[in-house]
Amino acid sequence: MAGADVDVGTELRLGLPGGGAEAAKAAKRGYEDTIDLKLTLPTGGVQKDSGKPEPAAEKAAADPEKPPAPKAQAVGWPPVRSYRRNAMTVQSVKIKKEEEAEKEQPAATAGGNGSAFVKVSMDGAPYLRKVDLKMYNTYKDLSIALQKMFSTFSATGNEGKMVEAVNGSDVVTTYEDKDGDWMLVGDVPWEMFVASCKRLRIMKSSEAIGLAPRAKDKYKNKS
Amino acid sequence: MSTPRSSSSSPDPIPNPSVTLAGSPGMRDAEEGPDSPPSRMSEDGNGGAWTPDLRCGRWAPPDQVLEIVLESVLEFLTAARDRNAASLVCRSWYRAEAQTRRELFIGNCYAVSPRRAVERFGGVRAVVLKGKPRFADFSLVPQGWGAYFSTWVAALGPAYPCLERIFLKRMTVSDDELALIPKSFPLFKELSLVCCDGFSTRGLATIAEGCRHLRVLDLTEDYFHEDENQVVDWISKFPECNTMLESLVFDCVGVPFNFEALEALVARSPALRQLRVNDHVSIEQLRRLMARAPHITHLGTGSFHSEPGSGGASSVSELATSFAATRSLVCLSGFLDFNAEYLPAIYPVCVNLTSLNFSFASLTAEELIPVICHCISLRIFWVLDTVGDEGLQAVAETCSDLRELRVFPLDATEDSEGSVSDIGLQAISEGCRKLESILYFCQRMTNAAVIAMSENCPDLVVFRLCIMGRHRPDRITGEPMDEGFGAIVMNCKKLTRLSVSGLLTDKAFAYIGKYGKLIKTLSVAFAGNSDMSLQHVFEGCIRLQKLEVRDSPFGDKGLLSGMNYFYNMRFFWMNSCRLTVKGCRDLAQQMPNLVVEVMKDHPDEEGEIDTVDKLYLYRSLAGPRNDAPSFVNIL
């Protein structure tokens, strides 16, 4: 790996010291702040923070159906602090989601970015929490996580829906989607939910009456 | 070894072992003299008559009088550079200066051992410590490299019971070490942690609870990796009585906290002037805080997002009323997740604002313009490139008093669109003639715009231009950016900090060496043709303190061309260039007071590799450190 650097590096050119070496450096990041790397690469590019060597060239060759991997990003370039990168990531994901919504390709957005942090508010709780929807694969997983977070929950009810009990009264989980509508959680396929959810709110089921039409109906009309 | 040039960055660059205080009886020796009312001090000894040491209330021997006088005078010297100079005059001055230095500034925590620093300086009240090299901010320094506060706090504790202030930058600080602060320093007043890591809300709780005289708790861009389920309610741990808090900054502490406790804390902190909250604070909550702190001057607004809750949503005019009532506001930041429709609420305070930070809010030009046109007093402005050249033109039209501008990229990748360009830079240079500091991220730039800035803004002290695409030439002429940067160093005669980018040849560095006589900090990336570039810099930039280089075609020859200059610098960092272990070892062998650290990119690789991924060298009185991890090889 480092040996390759020498051979490539002694060539006289103004270009990169070596695309392969750069990519390998990027691939080998075992550092904590890997979130920015995953997000800055377009699909098909180098990712993986497993710590194992995985040069981009090999990856591209192994997967001939994908278009050739674009130029690998250099670590720490442009020089923006990780703190700022992480904060901006949330923002630009939001903007991309809003852009993608027009093209109706939520899956592409969801696949291309590393995290989907949304705020979760629960009526009566002293403060908001945040969850990364990408950490979960099903509504059940999310329900369990929310349960832990707001520990007065007890999950009951059928698969996909989250009906919790707080002090004896029923609560439901709702979410604000990219159109600004408040929908009940659990009606649309998980991936579609992750792509369109901007914010979660856990409210008393009595207040949930009169919410926007069920998601099923909404999306049925669109397709 | 050359005498260090005047530098404000190191406490004691002269490793001169003869200057030790071997057994000289100081005034502080316990000498029980008779109690007499203190009289005016006499100039000389009066042949045996003793004069009182007014500080300790004891009588001092006549030959110590000069030192007493000296110490009283030296108290007025505050700048480290002046103090360093004073300490070189003679042994007597050295001792007097050492006893009266109140702020200990250690620009590189490995340049001197804690024990040595503590032995020399007896009366320190404030400590500033800087740890990791700056490129650690960009993930170029692997985790676990070092810069641990533990060794320092262990020495500072016993030595300085009266310590009042600690400022740390890029250090690793654990919760246990934070807990030592209230225990070791009962008079502790100010803690400031910038880009630090290793601690959590548990450590913050011990500070809040234990430091009864706390005035400042500033947490800026620190790394928090706390599991939300283990968060400690640290805000509630402040004492119940009125506090002396003047500044509380925690926008980087991204975990939830007890808002009611914060509101109560603000209500019982009458001296509070700076409050910057994290993004878990909504507009409705912000209004409650502002109501409790009407005299606030520096406000970090949190999310600036409406979260209705039980009280209902605040209207824009209600928020505007809150701002109007905060008459002393001069600095506004936050907007971490903002609702653009609430922006007009800040109009009442814009005219008095000297500092505005929109750099976490993706504002468009349309959203910015109505705000910025009120900000006629603005001196510091941070913004995202989403405002575009048009937004910057609006800034240029209104903010004629601007001193510092930072334009950050929303999308910090090389291939991003980039929304600002040479047009925005040109506009700023024409409108903001008093500019002193600029940081500008873009994708398209021209030499003409940079030259224009060099001519229009002669007061520039800091010029940092980051053309994000690597090796990008002038977008109109296709030429390298040599002339632009050359004009900057030529025309901006006060320039001390420079970051270069774009396509650059050795010529650019020839300019830098020839004209950059005051440059202290230089950052280079993907630039230059050959080792001549480095040679130009070392030979020409006589005030150079900090040099950071990455991904440039420089090798051992360039490295060795700096040999005569490294003792005058704080550090030199080089990564992904063409260095070999042999070259670095040659250097290390010839320079005993230089610590030469060589790091691999891939820590788990075995065997001898000849190329060097990362080099970090720095002058040091402490010799090679003993806390280096396995991926660091100290030559």
Side-chain angles (χ1 to χ4, degrees):
Chain A
M1 203 66 263
D5 263 348
V6 178
D7 294 332
V8 172
T10 48
E11 284 178 78
L12 208 83
R13 51 183 176 159
L14 289 175
L16 301 173
E22 300 275 1
K25 279 179 211 157
K28 286 193 184 181
R29 291 183 63 200
Y31 315 155
E32 290 201 38
D33 302 312
T34 52
I35 189 171
D36 54 306
L37 194 67
K38 285 189 220 164
L39 287 153
T40 54
L41 294 175
T43 48
V46 178
Q47 44 251 347
K48 294 293 173 277
D49 54 336
S50 58
K52 289 211 181 118
E54 244 184 307
E58 282 178 26
K59 264 201 93 159
D63 209 332
E65 278 154 14
K66 287 200 181 141
K71 181 172 79 174
Q73 305 277 337
V75 173
W77 185 261
V80 170
R81 280 187 185 155
S82 318
Y83 170 70
R84 184 171 287 281
R85 269 189 199 273
N86 293 342
M88 287 296 96
T89 296
V90 177
Q91 300 249 10
S92 63
V93 163
K94 252 200 231 163
I95 287 176
K96 278 194 188 133
K97 273 191 184 162
E98 280 154 23
E99 284 168 5
E100 291 290 350
E102 264 122 64
K103 303 180 201 163
E104 283 196 345
Q105 283 172 29
T109 313
N113 297 292
S115 71
F117 278 99
V118 297
K119 289 189 182 163
V120 188
S121 63
M122 174 166 158
D123 292 359
Y127 44 69
L128 297 182
R129 309 300 297 272
K130 270 195 197 156
V131 286
D132 179 0
L133 295 177
K134 285 300 177 63
M135 304 276 290
Y136 314 104
N137 293 317
T138 63
Y139 285 113
K140 192 115 190 290
D141 294 342
L142 177 62
S143 167
I144 292 170
L146 290 178
Q147 222 177 300
K148 275 195 213 152
M149 222 179 254
F150 297 97
S151 53
T152 49
F153 284 18
S154 61
T156 56
N158 33 23
E159 179 197 277
K161 252 208 255 177
M162 282 177 282
V163 177
E164 293 88 5
V166 173
N167 298 332
S169 66
D170 282 328
V171 293
V172 293
T173 308
T174 62
Y175 71 100
E176 186 185 2
D177 73 359
K178 56 189 187 302
D179 299 329
D181 297 326
W182 286 92
M183 319 285 294
L184 277 176
V185 166
D187 291 332
V188 301
W190 173 256
E191 289 76 19
M192 197 186 278
F193 165 69
V194 171
S196 59
C197 172
K198 279 190 354 190
R199 176 172 251 116
L200 285 165
R201 185 171 159 209
I202 302 162
M203 53 168 53
K204 297 202 189 68
S205 34
S206 48
E207 285 183 24
I209 294 168
L211 260 187
R214 295 285 295 259
K216 263 197 288 235
D217 303 324
K218 180 171 172 178
Y219 286 104
K220 202 162 72 173
N221 292 339
K222 273 197 177 171
S223 63
Chain B
M1 185 181 59
S2 52
T3 311
R5 291 187 274 266
S6 65
S7 90
S8 58
S9 55
S10 55
D12 177 15
I14 317 169
N16 187 352
S18 68
V19 185
T20 47
L21 310 176
S24 59
M27 287 156 293
R28 278 155 196 80
D29 285 352
E31 191 87 39
E32 307 298 330
D35 276 348
S36 307
S39 54
R40 244 180 333 112
M41 289 194 294
S42 57
E43 295 280 322
D44 58 11
N46 271 356
W50 284 38
T51 46
D53 174 354
L54 291 174
R55 256 112 15 90
C56 307
R58 291 186 220 103
W59 298 100
D63 52 314
Q64 305 284 320
V65 169
L66 184 58
E67 251 174 75
I68 301 168
V69 173
L70 200 52
E71 287 197 6
S72 308
V73 170
L74 287 180
E75 292 268 8
F76 293 99
L77 271 187
T78 47
R81 274 179 67 176
D82 298 334
R83 290 198 147 264
N84 291 349
S87 71
L88 295 176
V89 169
C90 64
R91 284 177 64 173
S92 171
W93 280 57
Y94 178 89
R95 279 196 300 266
E97 192 283 312
Q99 291 308 323
T100 54
R101 189 178 292 222
R102 295 289 168 243
E103 178 178 293
L104 184 60
F105 179 98
I106 312 271
N108 175 3
C109 65
Y110 288 120
V112 64
S113 72
R115 191 180 51 82
R116 186 175 177 140
V118 149
E119 271 171 8
R120 175 173 168 186
F121 298 104
V124 163
R125 300 274 159 78
V127 172
V128 176
L129 270 175
K130 298 191 180 180
K132 297 176 205 159
R134 194 180 74 100
F135 274 11
D137 292 348
F138 316 126
S139 309
L140 287 170
V141 176
Q143 287 285 357
W145 175 82
Y148 301 107
F149 185 48
S150 51
T151 45
W152 282 90
V153 72
L156 296 173
Y160 303 132
C162 298
L163 194 70
E164 295 177 352
R165 291 192 287 125
I166 291 176
F167 175 99
L168 303 179
K169 189 166 188 180
R170 294 193 195 96
M171 303 273 305
T172 297
V173 189
S174 73
D175 288 333
D176 292 334
E177 285 142 29
L178 286 181
L180 282 177
I181 290 177
K183 278 197 208 120
S184 314
F185 314 118
L187 302 176
F188 196 71
K189 294 197 172 85
E190 298 185 16
L191 179 65
S192 193
L193 303 177
V194 178
C195 298
C196 294
D197 67 292
F199 61 99
S200 72
T201 49
R202 186 170 70 84
L204 296 181
T206 57
I207 298 285
E209 195 167 14
C211 300
R212 315 297 286 191
H213 303 278
L214 198 67
R215 287 195 301 220
V216 170
L217 180 57
D218 284 355
L219 307 164
T220 305
E221 299 199 28
D222 303 304
Y223 300 93
F224 266 80
H225 294 290
E226 200 161 357
D227 185 353
E228 286 205 359
N229 293 322
Q230 287 169 357
V231 166
V232 170
D233 189 5
W234 58 285
I235 300 261
S236 313
K237 300 285 193 280
F238 281 94
E240 297 275 320
C241 54
N242 275 8
T243 76
M244 300 198 230
L245 269 181
E246 295 169 14
S247 173
L248 181 61
V249 174
F250 64 96
D251 41 3
C252 66
V253 184
V255 293
F257 64 94
N258 184 339
F259 177 77
E260 272 68 33
L262 177 66
E263 191 180 4
L265 175 65
V266 170
R268 64 179 191 276
S269 302
L272 195 68
R273 295 294 173 266
Q274 169 160 255
L275 178 65
R276 299 190 199 225
V277 299
N278 68 21
D279 64 346
H280 288 264
V281 173
S282 67
I283 279 181
E284 290 73 22
Q285 290 170 325
L286 180 68
R287 288 189 57 217
R288 285 161 63 179
L289 293 175
M290 289 170 77
R292 300 286 190 177
H295 304 295
I296 206 144
T297 57
H298 295 63
L299 181 64
T301 59
S303 70
F304 210 71
H305 192 103
S306 174
E307 231 29 272
S310 50
S314 289
S315 69
V316 180
S317 56
E318 282 172 331
L319 183 61
T321 309
S322 300
F323 273 100
T326 321
R327 297 167 182 287
S328 319
L329 213 53
V330 293
C331 171
L332 212 50
S333 62
F335 307 100
L336 303 171
D337 187 17
F338 81 122
N339 273 142
E341 63 262 31
Y342 282 95
L343 271 183
I346 71 171
Y347 293 167
V349 295
C350 283
V351 69
N352 293 322
L353 283 183
T354 55
S355 171
L356 179 56
N357 182 351
F358 273 148
S359 68
F360 291 98
S362 37
L363 282 163
T364 61
E366 290 74 41
E367 288 161 348
L368 174 68
I369 289 170
V371 176
I372 206 75
C373 68
H374 298 292
C375 299
I376 53 177
S377 314
L378 213 56
R379 292 197 162 203
I380 298 173
F381 186 51
W382 292 22
V383 72
L384 277 181
D385 65 353
T386 49
V387 300
D389 290 327
E390 193 190 339
L392 293 180
Q393 275 159 339
V395 174
E397 275 160 32
T398 315
C399 307
S400 55
D401 214 18
L402 199 68
R403 308 299 162 107
E404 178 179 320
L405 175 68
R406 296 196 194 192
V407 182
F408 293 96
L410 174 68
D411 186 2
T413 59
E414 294 174 63
D415 309 312
S416 64
E417 267 301 302
S419 317
V420 297
S421 72
D422 49 281
I423 295 170
L425 191 75
Q426 177 95 26
I428 292 287
S429 79
E430 287 163 9
C432 309
R433 303 282 173 133
K434 299 188 195 167
L435 204 63
E436 294 169 1
S437 171
I438 184 163
L439 170 63
Y440 198 86
F441 284 85
C442 61
Q443 287 288 25
R444 297 174 295 283
M445 189 47 59
T446 61
N447 282 304
V450 179
I451 292 170
M453 177 152 275
S454 78
E455 290 166 354
N456 294 333
C457 306
D459 291 337
L460 275 175
V461 172
V462 174
F463 185 78
R464 297 158 70 190
L465 176 62
C466 180
I467 304 169
M468 294 192 281
R470 290 178 252 173
H471 308 109
R472 291 240 171 126
D474 182 313
R475 76 166 171 96
I476 292 179
T477 67
E479 304 249 306
M481 294 299 299
D482 296 341
E483 296 307 314
F485 285 103
I488 289 287
V489 289
M490 224 187 312
N491 298 331
C492 303
K493 311 225 191 303
K494 304 182 190 173
L495 199 76
T496 60
R497 183 166 179 190
L498 180 64
S499 294
V500 300
S501 61
L503 181 63
L504 292 170
T505 71
D506 288 345
K507 196 159 173 226
F509 295 95
Y511 285 135
I512 292 173
K514 184 166 178 195
Y515 298 106
K517 296 306 177 189
L518 294 183
I519 291 180
K520 294 204 288 200
T521 307
L522 180 63
S523 293
V524 178
F526 305 101
N529 300 125
S530 75
D531 288 319
M532 277 313 296
S533 288
L534 275 188
Q535 199 172 324
H536 287 313
V537 169
F538 286 130
E539 286 173 2
C541 300
I542 52 177
R543 291 274 175 97
L544 192 66
Q545 292 275 300
K546 303 182 253 186
L547 180 58
E548 339 170 288
V549 177
R550 65 167 295 174
D551 292 284
S552 298
F554 308 143
D556 296 338
K557 183 158 173 282
L559 174 68
L560 291 168
S561 69
M563 207 160 65
N564 294 335
Y565 310 97
F566 289 138
Y567 281 148
N568 295 326
M569 290 168 58
R570 190 188 296 175
F571 72 78
F572 177 36
W573 167 282
M574 222 163 132
N575 76 273
S576 314
C577 297
R578 297 176 187 178
L579 296 172
T580 68
V581 175
K582 182 178 177 310
C584 297
R585 190 169 277 132
D586 283 347
L587 180 72
Q589 275 160 1
Q590 297 187 56
M591 306 195 71
N593 283 318
L594 207 62
V595 173
V596 179
E597 296 193 10
V598 157
M599 292 175 247
K600 295 193 190 99
D601 251 356
H602 323 305
D604 39 353
E605 248 174 23
E606 298 289 325
E608 263 298 302
I609 313 283
D610 198 42
T611 52
V612 165
D613 292 325
K614 302 177 208 279
L615 165 75
Y616 183 49
L617 63 80
Y618 48 92
R619 67 184 169 194
S620 175
L621 301 174
R625 58 193 176 107
N626 54 14
D627 61 3
S630 55
F631 58 81
V632 171
N633 183 10
I634 300 183
L635 300 176

